[in-house]
Each structure stands twice: as C-alpha cells, then as structure tokens.
DNA sequence: TGTAATTTTGCAACAATGTTGCAAATAAAA
DNA sequence: TTTTATTTGCAACATTGTTGCAAAATTACA
C-alpha cells in the first residue's frame, strides 16, 4: 500500500493536478479518504484524525473536492451526505460514477464496488438518462 | 381518477387497514401523496394544502407511515429526505421497493417508474443482497 | 530568498432541520 | 355519553449547514 511519504506525495500530485493549493486541511482530509476505502460522512472528519477540523472548513473543502471531481456523493435515505474518492475517469465536469455502492446493514459501512457494473436500464419513452445511481443494501463480507 | 369523496374513502380504508386512527393531519398528508404522483419532501407539507401543519406533527406522521409500510424513502445525494407512497406489495415489515426512481434535473421532480424493473446485479463473492435502490437522473417527459 | 498578491482558514453569528417532554385536544372503545 | 388511549401542538433544545469578514497560510513573482 506504500509508505506514509508515498501517500503524501500522491496527494500533493492530485491537488496540484486539480489546481488547488496544498494545505494541511486538504491533505489530511484526503488521507482519511485514501485510508478508509469507503464512504465517509461529514461527522467522520470532526471525530477522526487526532486533530479536529473546523466545521466550516470541512464543508468548504468537501465542496471544493466535489467541484474538482476528486470525490463524489453517494445517495442515502437519511439526512446524512456520504462521500467517496472518485476513480481516475472522473474529471472536473464529468463524473463517471458507474459503479455500485454497497451499504452494510450490520456495520453501517458503505463501500464502492468498483468491479460491479451498473446494468443497463430501459426507461419508458420520453425520458432521457444522464446518470444512474445504485445502492445495494445487505451484509458485507466482514460481517457475515 | 375518482371524486374527492372516493379519495377520502380510499384513505380511510388505508388507515383502518394499517390500524391507525383517522385524523385530519393523516388524511390531508395522504391526500397530498395520492395527488402528487411523485416524491414529496418534508418542506412540501408545510407549504402546500392551504392549512399549514405543525412541523413536529409532520415528522411524526411520516415516521408512522414509514413504519406501517404506507410510504417509502427515496435515496438522495443531498440532505433532503424524499418520500413516496408504496404500492400494494409493501407491508409493515417488508418493503417491496423494486422499482426505479427517476429524478428530473430540470424540474427537480422525482417520480416512481413502477413499470421499470430493477435489473439483476451480480455482487462480488461474500456479499449478501437484501435490497437494491436505483435512482436515474435525467430529463423527464414534460421537460423535454 | 523575501515580499506582494491571492487563497484559505477560523470565528461569530445566523438559518434550517430534526428531536423530546408534556399538557391539551381529539379519536376510539366501552 | 363517558372513559381510555392516542395524537397533536407548543416550547425548548440539539444538530447540521451557511455567510461575512479579518487573520493566517500559500503561491507567485521580483
């Protein structure tokens, strides 16, 4: 998985490529994303990581990452908003978010199933499709 | 579509079948659902319907309807929570929510595509599937 | 490397949304 | 009609998200 230094380097490159300043907050939030291998919600950032972040900064950082195509949102049925890092195909103005999200009902964790394709859906006449979001609820590997 | 009286009768039956008292608030909220033919969110109930409902009552009413299987939630990528009436296959402890939801990016309206089946999804080994939620974003018939 | 221009951060204050306890009002049961 | 059980509305509070602005950090440039 690489050393801590390699991770930091990878993050710096990502920020530079997105034309964003490299700041402590951005680096630490991206570290959390890269390490978690799943979806994070807002409250996770205030708890985790020893240092506690200012709420406003977290909101603005996530907003910025969204706009730059670094992260994407995952649909939920409650008021929480979940985010996960995008794969390489995502760019500033186009999210290629064609994978399936899995939410475990036992541990509550949401993961991106990158290998699982979103199947084709036949819409009724007159509807134009831009984007499909799929969330599967169930029990994950670790919880069985 | 039936008269107003027929609608009221249908609603009363639904409430009685769910073992719920028939109250003004519940009847009026169900009327809104039946008439809207789409998803409603919390703020819709305070605006609509001439009479304005108490916020707390709306929250509790929606919660009750959810528990009785009268309505279901629709996943969103923001903090709003959207609800729609269930079809007949839904019961108190089992939601047969196997249809596709369509969200129009132009008018913002969310509809249930009852005729559009959720396709089968092949999960990686070790994952157990309970329920699949699909939201298609695009442009609806009326907005084209 | 040091300085100026730009961007980001954190605080304060506010707005919106969701929750809880309890007494009054309403609906159902007897 | 009266009693019992449920539901409602208010008040107070908790949580979550937003905006303006000055201080701090980062970047650009000499």
């Amino acid at each position: 998985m690489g050393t801590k230094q390699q991770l930091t380097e990878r993050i710096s490159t990502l920020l530079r490529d997105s034309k964003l300043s490299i700041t402590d907050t951005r680096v630490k939030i991206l570290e959390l994303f890269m390490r978690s291998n799943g979806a994070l919600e807002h409250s996770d950032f205030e708890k985790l990581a020893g240092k506690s972040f200012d709420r406003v900064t977290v909101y603005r950082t996530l907003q910025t990452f969204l706009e730059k195509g670094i992260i994407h949102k995952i649909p939920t049925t409650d008021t929480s908003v979940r985010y996960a890092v995008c794969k390489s195909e995502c760019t500033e103005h186009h999210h290629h978010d064609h994978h399936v999200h899995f939410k475990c009902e036992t541990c509550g964790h949401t993961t991106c199933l990158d290998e699982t394709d979103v199947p084709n859906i036949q819409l009724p006449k007159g509807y134009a499709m831009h984007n499909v979001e799929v969330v599967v609820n169930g029990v994950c590997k670790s919880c069985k």
Side-chain angles (χ1 to χ4, degrees), chain A:
Chain A
M1 292 277 100
T3 63
K4 159 101 186 183
Q5 200 189 338
Q6 285 174 319
L7 181 62
T8 306
E9 184 51 43
R10 199 148 61 92
I11 288 171
S12 300
T13 305
L14 177 55
L15 287 172
R16 241 189 306 270
D17 288 351
S18 302
K19 298 189 174 45
L20 292 175
S21 318
I22 298 171
T23 68
D24 278 7
T25 314
R26 286 177 182 161
V27 171
K28 283 198 178 123
I29 287 185
L30 276 179
E31 272 180 29
L32 286 179
F33 270 120
M34 305 272 187
R35 288 224 181 85
S36 81
N37 186 38
L40 297 174
E41 55 180 281
H42 195 276
S43 58
D44 292 329
F45 299 105
E46 296 180 51
K47 291 178 223 148
L48 288 170
K51 181 193 174 179
S52 72
F53 302 104
D54 183 77
R55 266 155 36 77
V56 178
T57 305
V58 173
Y59 280 115
R60 290 196 269 226
T61 303
L62 293 174
Q63 186 57 41
T64 304
F65 287 173
L66 266 181
E67 284 163 8
K68 293 294 184 176
I70 297 175
I71 60 176
H72 62 268
K73 288 185 181 182
I74 298 171
T76 63
T77 53
D78 56 32
T79 55
S80 71
V81 184
R82 289 212 181 69
Y83 303 87
V85 283
C86 289
K87 300 301 155 186
S88 49
E89 320 93 76
C90 293
T91 64
E92 181 155 0
H93 295 296
H94 190 76
H95 282 257
H96 251 290
D97 191 15
H98 278 302
H99 59 272
V100 171
H101 295 107
F102 185 90
K103 169 143 197 228
C104 177
E105 290 158 351
T106 303
C107 66
H109 206 239
T110 301
T111 40
C112 300
L113 302 179
D114 295 306
E115 309 307 324
T116 308
D117 274 331
V118 173
N120 215 44
I121 288 173
Q122 198 62 42
L123 290 183
K125 251 199 220 167
Y127 288 85
M129 182 187 305
H130 285 169
N131 177 267
V132 185
E133 322 204 65
V134 179
V135 180
V136 177
N137 297 294
V139 181
C140 75
K141 263 197 272 197
S142 345
C143 288
K144 282 226 284 197

